């Protein structure tokens, strides 16, 4: 009877713990979304509260030997999802910065952190280099929740996201190689070949699995009603197979395989891509909650306190010295402003990879009788994670606002066909668009389609403030009711001092009322007649203009690239991408078509016409900073 009771209660207790963790995690996600704060901040606090240092609800004995397996599988799902979202087009936003963060940045973090640990904590070199390898990682487990609530300029977000994914792989593989070569085997000469061997194995397995998954998705999913479900499940299984297969070949290479599989599948044509993306993101939120709370519960504050001032000195060195230097050496592209470099310098939170691997290594070191090394390893890694998550991730919005790296919002009141179409065009140009509509069904549809949408009355102060109108550069009223549009424009212009206010005017006689407020009024009937006239008199131009947003674009920007000022249009030919032209230049209120001898001046407003990708490249070159 005694044995029966023990074996019966243990699974029930574990089940209760798992359910409670998931419930708390989902609650933290909802609260984080509501407060626009990265969820990892709440997750790590919850983990501490329910852990041994708090309520004692979760301990190292709770999951037994299964914790490392569960965490490993969860990490595979998270990093696969992050890599799946990392499209080649995004990497092209900041290619040099990404490459440097993966190479120069990773190397500097590794060596600099090891030196700091050795100097401030007095550890042996093997433990110092092991900690340095682990803390290379930032990771999608912290960057993804951060980017969920923080809209950054595209090249800044891409640099953070790519660094997290690629350096997670580097950290995991390098750490296990150093552990086996130095801590266990004392063979430093084996580190470079072992690192390359494991990295190649993980990447190779990831590519093979990704190609198999794509073949299955293309040929085995039919137009039947369950095809999206099959696509989601096949993709998930592919991620887990890549991780498990790589781990069976070399330990800690599963991260490389999962990341590679996600990146490859994210950059090839797949059926039901949107369904896969949404499923991956939902699953990631669940497993992220579980692993962060579980690992945070294992933080031993005695180990952290035992590090003394040396531990704090290591954190300061990693965050305030090493990080700014590596950003200064990596984000040297002209498109990164000084404020953007400073933002990247102060936001580099560490995540699950160093926490999970450090826990595993600490257990093995304790088993080998190296108790002091185990305490220093776990304490240092968790101290850096805890402080960077709380301060850097938790205060990321405030840091971004201080350095003004969040693109100002465009508020569109009215989520109907006009508002939705306008939002699509603006988002394709990289604008930070927020839609407002009082119909809950419309808001739900907008959110389902990937738009940022707020429910409420667009003429209500509280609704407008929640949508961020105080930080808006453009406000657009697109409803079918002129009175509503007029009131929205009046609030935007007179109360919130929005620079550009535009309105849809449904009745021509109401245009004067809008223009009195210095609002750009678009008379629907006149605009329609103008479009019809263009189709009659200028059909080729009209047809091209209707394609804008579908492969073509026209953008007007102010020249902020100081190195281009003083050059003629002819001299700038190499700076203007193929498929794009300078249509007009506006200067001191006068607009003209430039000649080859026209000299560019600071503050000139230049309008580019051409292919969408070429126009984007030209805008980034001529207008790298706001």
């Amino acid at each position: 009877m005694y044995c029966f009771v023990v074996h019966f209660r243990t699974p029930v207790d574990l089940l209760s713990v798992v359910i409670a963790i998931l419930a708390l995690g989902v609650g933290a996600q909802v609260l984080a979304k509501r407060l626009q704060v990265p969820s990892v901040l709440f997750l790590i606090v919850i983990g501490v509260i329910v852990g041994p240092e708090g309520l004692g609800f979760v301990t190292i004995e709770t999951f037994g030997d299964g914790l490392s397996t569960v965490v490993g599988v969860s990490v595979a799902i998270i990093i696969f999802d992050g890599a799946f979202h990392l499209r080649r087009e995004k990497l092209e936003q900041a290619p040099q910065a990404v490459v440097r963060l993966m190479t120069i940045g990773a190397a500097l973090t590794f060596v600099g952190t090891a030196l700091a640990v050795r100097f401030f904590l007095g550890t042996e070199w093997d433990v110092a280099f092991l900690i340095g390898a682990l803390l290379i990682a930032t990771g999608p487990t912290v960057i993804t929740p951060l980017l969920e609530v923080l809209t950054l300029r595209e090249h800044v977000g891409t640099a953070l996201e790519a660094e997290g994914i690629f350096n997670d792989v580097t950290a995991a593989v390098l750490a296990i190689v150093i552990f086996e070569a130095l801590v266990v085997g004392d063979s430093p000469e084996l580190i470079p070949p072992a690192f390359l061997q494991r990295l190649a194995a993980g990447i190779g397995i990831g590519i093979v699995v990704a190609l198999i998954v794509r073949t299955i998705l293309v040929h085995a999913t039919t137009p039947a009603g369950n095809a999206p479900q099959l696509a989601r499940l096949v993709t998930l299984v592919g991620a887990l197979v890549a991780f498990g297969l790589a781990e069976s070949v070399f330990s800690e290479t599963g991260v490389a395989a999962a990341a590679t599989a996600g990146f490859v599948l994210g950059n090839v044509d797949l059926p039901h891509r949107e369904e896969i993306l949404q499923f991956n993101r939902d699953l990631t939120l669940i497993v992220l909650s579980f692993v962060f709370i579980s690992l945070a519960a294992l933080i031993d504050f005695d180990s952290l306190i035992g590090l003394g001032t040396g531990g704090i000195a290591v954190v300061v060195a990693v965050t305030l010295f090493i990080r700014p230097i590596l950003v200064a050496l990596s984000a040297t592209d002209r498109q990164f402003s000084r404020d953007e470099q400073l933002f990247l310098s102060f936001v580099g939170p560490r995540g699950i990879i160093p926490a999970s691997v450090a826990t595993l290594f600490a257990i093995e070191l304790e088993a080998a009788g190296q108790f002091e090394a185990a305490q220093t390893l776990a304490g240092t890694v968790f101290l850096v994670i805890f402080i960077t998550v709380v301060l850097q991730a938790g205060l990321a919005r405030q840091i971004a606002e201080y350095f003004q790296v969040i693109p100002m919002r465009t508020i569109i009141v009215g989520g109907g066909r006009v508002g939705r179409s306008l939002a699509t065009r603006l988002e394709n140009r990289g604008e930070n668009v927020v839609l407002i509509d009082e119909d809950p069904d419309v808001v739900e549809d907008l959110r389902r389609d990937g738009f940022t949408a707020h429910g409420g009355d667009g003429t209500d102060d509280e609704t407008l403030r929640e949508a961020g109108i105080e930080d808006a550069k453009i406000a657009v009223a697109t409803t079918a009711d002129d009175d509503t549009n007029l009131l929205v424009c009046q609030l935007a212009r007179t109360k919130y001092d929005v620079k550009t206010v535009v309105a849809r005017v449904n009745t021509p006689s109401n245009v004067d009322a809008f223009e009195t407020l210095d609002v750009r009024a678009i008379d629907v009937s006149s605009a329609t007649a103008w479009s019809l006239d263009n189709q009659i008199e200028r059909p080729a131009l009209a047809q091209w203009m209707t394609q804008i947003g579908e492969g073509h674009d026209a953008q007007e920007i102010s020249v902020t690239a100081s190195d281009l000022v003083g050059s003629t249009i002819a001299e700038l030919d190499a700076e203007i991408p193929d498929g794009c032209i300078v249509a007009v230049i506006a200067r001191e209120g006068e607009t003209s078509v430039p000649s080859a001898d026209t000299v560019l001046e600071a503050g000139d407003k230049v309008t580019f016409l051409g292919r969408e990708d070429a126009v984007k490249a030209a805008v980034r070159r001529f207008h790298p900073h706001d």
Side-chain angles (χ1 to χ4, degrees):
M1 174 66 77
Y2 177 77
C3 293
F4 173 78
V5 171
V6 171
H7 284 87
F8 175 76
R9 291 189 60 184
T10 300
V12 173
D13 292 342
L14 180 59
L15 179 62
S16 300
V17 171
V18 171
I19 292 174
I21 289 175
L22 292 177
L24 289 169
V26 172
Q29 302 281 1
V30 173
L31 182 62
K33 192 72 173 178
R34 174 70 176 174
L35 299 178
Q36 292 293 288
V37 174
S39 59
V40 290
L41 175 62
F42 295 113
L43 295 176
I44 200 168
V45 171
I46 290 172
V48 172
I49 292 173
V50 302
E53 304 293 334
L55 302 176
F57 187 62
V58 181
T59 66
I60 188 66
E61 292 81 17
T62 301
F63 303 99
D65 296 333
L67 180 61
S68 61
T69 301
V70 173
V71 170
V73 171
S74 300
V75 167
I77 293 171
I78 294 168
I79 202 164
F80 177 87
D81 173 60
F84 194 89
H85 280 75
L86 196 61
R87 303 295 297 274
R88 180 176 55 82
E89 295 83 357
K90 294 179 70 174
L91 293 177
E92 291 174 350
Q93 299 297 321
Q96 295 180 11
V98 170
V99 171
R100 290 180 183 134
L101 286 169
M102 292 166 50
T103 53
I104 298 173
L108 183 59
T109 303
F110 171 54
V111 175
T113 303
L115 290 172
V117 171
R118 170 72 175 177
F119 180 78
F120 292 116
L121 297 177
T123 64
E124 297 296 327
W125 279 112
D126 52 3
V127 176
F129 280 119
L130 185 58
I131 294 172
L134 288 171
L135 292 180
I136 290 173
T138 52
T141 55
V142 284
I143 299 302
T144 297
L146 190 153
L147 295 179
E148 285 284 329
V149 298
L150 190 62
T151 301
L152 300 171
R153 295 190 181 92
E154 206 164 9
H155 58 281
V156 179
T158 296
L160 269 179
E161 195 172 6
E163 178 194 22
I165 293 168
F166 295 133
N167 284 357
D168 249 16
V169 173
T170 301
V173 177
L174 183 59
I176 189 64
V177 169
I178 289 177
F179 184 78
E180 293 180 352
L182 293 183
V183 181
V184 178
D186 195 23
S187 305
E189 71 278 0
L190 298 179
I191 292 178
F195 174 75
L196 294 175
Q197 183 185 37
R198 288 172 182 267
L199 190 62
I203 293 174
I205 291 171
I207 292 174
V208 171
V209 172
L211 295 178
I212 293 173
V213 169
R214 181 180 183 276
T215 301
I216 294 173
L217 291 177
V218 171
H219 297 288
T221 55
T222 65
N226 63 346
Q229 182 185 47
L230 290 174
R232 294 193 294 265
L233 294 177
V234 168
T235 305
L236 172 61
V237 171
L240 298 180
V241 167
F243 177 81
L245 188 60
E247 286 290 317
S248 67
V249 176
F250 291 115
S251 60
E252 301 303 326
T253 56
V255 172
T260 302
F263 183 72
V264 172
L265 288 173
N267 285 276
V268 297
D269 292 330
L270 288 181
H272 313 294
R273 171 180 293 276
E274 292 303 319
E275 289 84 354
I276 294 172
L277 280 169
Q278 189 58 53
F279 176 71
N280 288 347
R281 184 46 49 93
D282 292 343
L283 189 59
T284 294
L285 291 178
I286 294 174
V287 298
L288 178 67
S289 301
F290 180 81
V291 295
F292 236 109
I293 291 177
S294 301
L295 289 177
L298 304 183
I299 295 178
D300 182 1
F301 280 88
D302 289 337
S303 297
L304 271 60
I305 296 172
L307 297 174
T309 56
I312 299 298
V314 170
V315 175
V316 171
V318 169
T319 58
L320 299 183
F321 287 92
I322 298 172
R323 178 74 183 176
I325 292 172
L326 76 87
V327 169
L329 295 175
S330 302
T332 56
D333 301 19
R334 282 185 291 256
Q335 67 188 116
F336 285 91
S337 68
R338 179 176 175 274
D339 286 337
E340 289 168 349
Q341 290 175 337
L342 289 172
F343 170 78
L344 290 173
S345 297
F346 289 107
V347 177
R350 270 55 178 184
I352 291 299
I353 288 291
S356 59
V357 179
T359 301
L360 173 64
F361 289 166
I363 292 173
E364 294 193 28
L365 287 172
E366 287 184 354
Q370 300 184 47
F371 297 103
E372 185 177 350
Q375 187 177 40
T376 301
L377 170 65
T380 305
V381 170
F382 273 100
L383 182 64
V384 172
I385 292 172
F386 187 78
I387 291 180
T388 56
V389 167
V390 172
L391 296 182
Q392 295 188 337
L395 299 177
R397 174 170 294 279
Q398 288 74 21
I399 296 172
E401 289 174 348
Y402 180 81
F403 290 118
Q404 299 180 347
V405 298
I406 300 177
M408 295 185 72
R409 293 177 176 87
T410 295
I411 306 294
I412 299 177
V413 178
R417 286 174 295 182
V418 175
R420 175 187 286 262
S421 297
L422 178 60
T424 300
R425 291 173 178 270
L426 293 176
E427 287 198 341
N428 286 341
R429 297 175 187 172
E431 297 289 343
N432 181 15
V433 181
V434 180
L435 286 149
I436 300 175
D437 200 283
E438 58 185 349
D439 187 334
D441 293 333
V442 172
V443 173
E444 184 178 350
D445 288 341
L446 289 168
R447 289 174 177 169
R448 188 183 302 117
D449 292 338
F451 294 101
T452 300
H454 283 262
D457 183 356
T459 63
D460 179 68
D461 275 344
E462 184 177 353
T463 300
L464 290 171
R465 283 197 299 270
E466 287 180 355
I469 196 167
E470 291 171 315
D471 297 320
K473 65 175 180 178
I474 301 172
V476 187
T478 66
T479 75
D481 182 71
D482 282 353
D483 290 337
T484 297
N485 291 345
L486 185 62
L487 183 52
V488 169
C489 293
Q490 186 175 19
L491 288 170
R493 173 64 72 197
T494 60
K495 186 167 185 176
Y496 296 106
D497 195 27
V498 178
K499 182 178 180 181
T500 302
V501 182
V502 185
R504 165 187 174 181
V505 182
N506 303 281
T507 304
S509 59
N510 291 334
V511 169
D512 290 343
F514 285 87
E515 291 183 343
T516 300
L517 293 172
D518 194 24
V519 172
R520 299 179 187 178
I522 308 300
D523 175 9
V524 174
S525 57
S526 297
T528 303
W530 179 81
S531 297
L532 291 172
D533 180 47
N534 282 336
Q535 288 288 350
I536 296 170
E537 296 295 331
R538 295 165 286 275
L541 179 61
Q543 183 178 2
W544 186 88
M545 288 297 291
T546 57
Q547 292 176 332
I548 290 181
E550 299 177 8
H552 296 82
D553 200 2
Q555 286 203 51
E556 177 187 288
I557 53 93
S558 296
V559 177
T560 58
S562 56
D563 60 314
L564 300 183
V565 173
S567 303
T568 65
I569 296 297
E571 292 170 340
L572 293 171
D573 183 62
E575 304 288 348
I576 302 173
D578 292 337
C580 173
I581 63 169
V582 176
V584 294
I585 293 180
R587 180 183 301 162
E588 297 178 355
E590 296 185 3
T591 301
S592 61
V593 176
S595 66
D597 297 327
T598 300
V599 177
L600 203 63
E601 296 182 5
D604 280 353
K605 294 185 180 297
V606 177
T607 299
F608 293 105
L609 295 178
R611 292 196 321 270
E612 187 175 8
D613 58 338
V615 170
K616 282 186 176 181
V619 168
R620 288 197 301 270
R621 180 65 184 94
F622 281 71
H623 181 68
H625 321 304
D626 282 347

